[in-house]
Amino acid sequence: MSDVTQPFALTRPAHVRGAHLVVSDLALVSGFYQDIIGLKVIEKSPSGEVLGVGGQPLLTLSTGKNVARAPRNAAGLFHTAFLVPNRQELAHWLAHSAHNNIRLEGASDHLVSEAIYLSDPEGNGIEIYRDRTPQEWAYQPDGTIAMATERLNLQELYNSAPKHAFDGMADGTAVGHIHLQVGDIPQADAFYRDVLGLKIMARYPGASFFATGDYHHHIAANIWNSRGAQAREGNMTGLSDYTVRFNDKSALDRALTALDAQEIAATKTADGWSLKDPWGIGLTLAA
């Protein structure tokens, strides 16, 4: 993906690069992300697949013999948010979903973005969204950002869709953010803000929105379904781990220093530094 086509979200000091879900029925879930969401298979093995857009990996799916369905109130994924390049692509995806009788779970104008919500066949949340330009966002004096949840006019959006057939997500689509279910918001703030160095850009009742470089949010955490949730068990379906890529190496170094100071174990791997958040959600910090 060239710098010309990179969305604002990915040009910040750090951003989310991809997510890894554990699933019970690999063929069913992969088929949904291909046929309905519009991703393409990049790599394939008996136990997993890597899906993406334009050769860029966005979502890893894997399965195993002892996989157990995670309860709805478990810590883990609230949704993976796929950021499309523009409003036309959002409209095109909406028309595609309508023509395939896909049940949507919501559609909102968040002032900074327009978003459509649904779930995959195993209940993993998905957001398809487009950002307004940063020049259209309203920042508060303290640097936080004005966000809201207003009704999105789906009929008007649908009417604006291109008339040709949908052939998958457009090049430039990315994982713009990831939204987590956690057990406690102050504990999430202590980890994502104080240890990893992300800034709180907005708060809702029971949720914090974190980002770098004045984006509206790269990571969100809420307790709406999961207040008091404990650490995930290793064989649970849902979000196994995700990657935060640091464009600014000094920001990664500060995060690693803070992890060390808090005595939070991080293991060097071929992909970066691997660790778990307070709820057992895996996280790789890469540069």
Side-chain angles (χ1 to χ4, degrees):
M1 196 185 298
S2 70
D3 289 342
V4 176
T5 59
Q6 272 200 333
F8 181 77
L10 270 59
T11 65
R12 305 299 83 205
H15 64 89
V16 174
R17 189 168 63 180
H20 171 201
L21 304 181
V22 174
V23 299
S24 298
D25 189 329
L26 179 62
L28 175 69
V29 177
S30 177
F32 180 87
Y33 281 99
Q34 293 175 62
D35 299 339
I36 303 306
I37 303 305
L39 306 184
K40 301 281 197 297
V41 176
I42 295 174
E43 295 177 24
K44 201 165 190 172
S45 74
S47 62
E49 296 182 4
V50 178
L51 307 175
V53 174
Q56 296 291 326
L58 300 180
L59 183 69
T60 299
L61 301 174
S62 65
T63 192
K65 291 180 181 176
N66 301 313
V67 169
R69 182 67 71 93
R72 186 168 181 269
N73 62 352
L77 185 70
F78 190 66
H79 58 239
T80 306
F82 295 98
L83 172 61
V84 298
N86 52 52
R87 195 171 200 263
Q88 181 180 15
E89 293 299 335
L90 184 66
H92 206 183
W93 183 85
L94 173 63
H96 166 68
S97 70
H99 299 157
N100 284 275
N101 298 313
I102 296 304
R103 187 174 72 86
L104 303 180
E105 296 171 356
S108 298
D109 185 333
H110 293 302
L111 306 184
V112 294
S113 63
E114 294 179 311
I116 301 169
Y117 299 94
L118 68 160
S119 292
D120 74 17
E122 296 194 0
N124 296 298
I126 299 167
E127 175 181 340
I128 312 292
Y129 79 112
R130 73 99 182 180
D131 275 334
R132 290 191 169 90
T133 66
Q135 292 75 24
E136 297 174 90
W137 303 347
Y139 290 94
Q140 315 289 5
D142 63 358
T144 59
I145 199 162
M147 293 173 63
T149 300
E150 299 179 349
R151 191 179 76 84
L152 178 60
N153 186 334
L154 283 177
Q155 187 63 55
E156 186 271 333
L157 184 63
Y158 175 88
N159 292 344
S160 72
K163 302 310 176 195
H164 58 271
F166 181 79
D167 188 32
M169 288 287 195
D171 284 359
T173 298
V175 176
H177 67 268
I178 197 157
H179 195 144
L180 307 174
Q181 294 195 158
V182 301
D184 180 73
I185 293 302
Q187 195 175 4
D189 293 350
F191 181 78
Y192 286 99
R193 176 189 62 195
D194 303 337
V195 176
L196 293 192
L198 281 69
K199 180 180 175 181
I200 296 178
M201 294 301 294
R203 290 190 188 275
Y204 281 19
S208 290
F209 296 78
F210 308 94
T212 66
D214 293 332
Y215 190 54
H216 51 75
H217 64 297
H218 289 106
I219 298 171
N222 77 60
I223 56 168
W224 299 331
N225 301 318
S226 55
R227 183 189 299 271
Q230 301 302 303
R232 290 174 58 80
E233 297 171 14
N235 65 336
M236 276 184 174
T237 58
L239 182 64
S240 168
D241 56 88
Y242 64 101
T243 298
V244 174
R245 181 176 180 84
F246 287 81
N247 295 322
D248 178 356
K249 173 83 165 47
S250 64
L252 173 58
D253 292 340
R254 286 193 296 273
L256 293 173
T257 299
L259 287 168
D260 194 45
Q262 295 284 335
E263 298 183 345
I264 298 171
T267 304
K268 186 75 171 75
T269 70
D271 298 318
W273 292 89
S274 176
L275 64 144
K276 291 187 183 296
D277 79 0
W279 297 277
I281 301 167
L283 185 59
T284 297
L285 308 182

